[in-house]
Amino acid sequence: MGHNIEIREGQASFVENGLKHRAWHRLGKVYDRPLTVQEALRGCNADYKVALQPLAALTPDIQREMEYGSVMALQLSNAIVPKYMATMRLDTHKILGIVTENYGIVQNEDAFNFIDTLVTGKLSDSEHTPVIETAGVLGEGERVFITAKFPEKIILDNKGNDRVEMYVVFTTSHDGTGAVNCVVTPIRVVCNNTLNLALRNNSGKLSLRHSRNIMERLDLRETKNAEFVYKTLNMYDIYKNSLEEEFHHLQNIKLAEQELMHILAKVVYEDDDLEIYKKSKNVYDAGISNSGIKRINNMRDIVEAGIGQDSNDKGSAMWLINGITTYFQNYANYKSDETKFDNLMKGDANRKMQKAYELALAND
């Protein structure tokens, strides 16, 4: 199942504010307004607990006892696996992952409350308070995500037609494979594409390991924790002002066709093709692979005519970056939507979008 959203008793564990846009999978509960923390928690079936449980090896003796309907306590105690534990979802008794004994669980309720505290703390005013837009459970409960939106928009043109909306995205996992992540990311409303430009050098991103003291670090009632989180996330005015300045700057950088194709080549071509391009400076050098040529032509087509590419800033660095983002967000192929999410947030697609951003600025 591509979306990987949990389905329980025929219902998707996903909830959203569908007033303007619906998620492509059209699953879960839909509100016509932003959600409260408690509505989101219950609505996406994330109101379950996770606990660490001991691991035991099923020895031949224990397996024989199980076949006869009994398990010897002494044998089980001798079979306990040291230094490792299982994370268990308590409402379904599903094993979600294998972790070390020092693993720190972040309960879903605490994750949602973190967002709530983020909302009602230093940002609790009518202009800057985020509101929950989407929340969901992935797999069998291994991962949970929450998205909250800032009502205030960044306006990129005098007519107000080109706007950027700001989101806080929070993710946590229960299977030992990922950290607790919280990022601030812009969404360009006119084309519905995520622009992770402000994540340069991990600016605006909080990432915490599931250590034993993780809940202490997530407690925003502690001044030192709150200051660390707000500084790390660059919330909000400093971030907004610098991002707005960068967007305007990118709109004023005009790219010739040769410069545009140079950036695409640096983003698209893999090692062998890139080395050939660096030597010849020709994006269509005869030595470049057919697959490389196909990828660069596909991306060039999307830059020229993809979603949102009929804007007034055509030919600018902003236009090019948005076209590249459109390609990775809407047209590139991924094994699953979870793979797509990871790629766009912290994987190869994110790195390539960031590279395009840096190369575009170098043309100033």
Side-chain angles (χ1 to χ4, degrees), residues 71-88:
V71 178
M72 296 176 64
L74 180 60
Q75 288 180 340
L76 276 177
S77 63
N78 290 335
I80 296 296
V81 178
K83 299 183 181 180
Y84 289 91
M85 305 284 282
T87 52
M88 176 182 284

Side-chain angles (χ1 to χ4, degrees), residues 275-298:
E275 286 302 314
I276 294 171
Y277 168 72
K278 286 179 178 178
K279 292 176 181 178
S280 68
K281 303 300 181 184
N282 179 7
V283 295
Y284 295 118
D285 188 282
I288 295 175
S289 67
N290 291 334
S291 60
I293 296 295
K294 183 178 180 180
R295 284 197 304 272
I296 199 168
N297 284 337
N298 286 343

Side-chain angles (χ1 to χ4, degrees), residues 61-114:
D61 289 341
I62 293 175
Q63 291 184 58
R64 280 195 298 271
E65 293 292 336
M66 292 176 64
E67 290 176 5
Y68 289 102
S70 65
V71 178
M72 296 176 64
L74 180 60
Q75 288 180 340
L76 276 177
S77 63
N78 290 335
I80 296 296
V81 178
K83 299 183 181 180
Y84 289 91
M85 305 284 282
T87 52
M88 176 182 284
R89 178 172 171 169
L90 296 183
D91 62 337
T92 62
H93 295 143
K94 290 281 187 181
I95 300 298
L96 302 179
I98 306 298
V99 298
T100 69
E101 59 187 359
N102 295 319
Y103 184 84
I105 289 176
V106 177
Q107 300 293 354
N108 295 339
E109 183 177 6
D110 293 326
F112 280 74
N113 286 336
F114 177 87

